């Protein structure tokens, strides 16, 4: 749809054999291979920079956001979970002081 696009969240390996989850703006999606531009600036991956062209496999996709041309969006389940956690933590901390 004109003006719309899809962003996907996927893990990227860190030098200490962990994972750093970052968002990728999809440019091309062929079968299970996805080519896109990295939206985040990595914290623990020195050889990777925000805006870099990256390739991920569809099986690695952890979350998605579909942006529509009219400004609506769907997805971002991890963002909703993080927001709920932060609200609960703030509420809990308020009563601990």
């Amino acid at each position: 749809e004109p003006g719309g696009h899809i962003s996907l969240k996927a893990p990227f390996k860190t030098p200490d054999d962990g994972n750093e989850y970052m968002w990728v703006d999809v440019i091309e999606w062929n079968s299970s291979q996805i080519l896109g531009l990295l939206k985040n600036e990595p914290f623990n991956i020195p050889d990777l920079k925000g805006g870099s062209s990256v390739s991920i496999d569809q099986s690695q996709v952890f979350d998605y956001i579909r942006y529509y041309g009219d400004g609506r969006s769907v997805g971002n389940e991890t963002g909703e979970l993080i927001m709920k956690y932060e609200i609960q933590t703030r509420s809990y901390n308020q009563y601990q002081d």
Side-chain angles (χ1 to χ4, degrees):
E1 156 180 326
H5 68 281
I6 297 175
S7 293
L8 304 173
K9 185 182 267 190
F12 292 83
K13 285 288 180 200
T14 61
D16 62 358
D17 207 29
N19 286 317
E20 187 170 342
Y21 287 83
M22 294 182 279
W23 288 101
V24 174
D25 278 339
V26 175
I27 296 172
E28 190 175 300
W29 195 326
N30 292 317
S31 187
S32 66
Q33 288 301 304
I34 303 163
L35 177 66
L37 297 177
L38 191 63
K39 289 181 68 172
N40 304 100
E41 191 64 42
F43 290 107
N44 296 317
I45 308 173
D47 296 336
L48 193 58
K49 302 291 180 211
S52 296
S53 178
V54 293
S55 179
I56 57 175
D57 190 85
Q58 180 176 313
S59 67
Q60 296 175 305
V61 173
F62 186 75
D63 200 355
Y64 76 97
I65 303 174
R66 180 173 181 185
Y67 298 96
Y68 293 91
D70 63 6
R72 292 178 300 123
S73 65
V74 295
N76 195 15
E77 299 298 321
T78 55
E80 289 182 30
L81 290 172
I82 291 168
M83 188 174 296
K84 285 179 185 176
Y85 174 77
E86 288 176 353
I87 290 169
Q88 288 174 349
T89 302
R90 274 187 253 135
S91 178
Y92 175 79
N93 289 339
Q94 175 183 1
Y95 293 107
Q96 298 303 310
D97 293 336

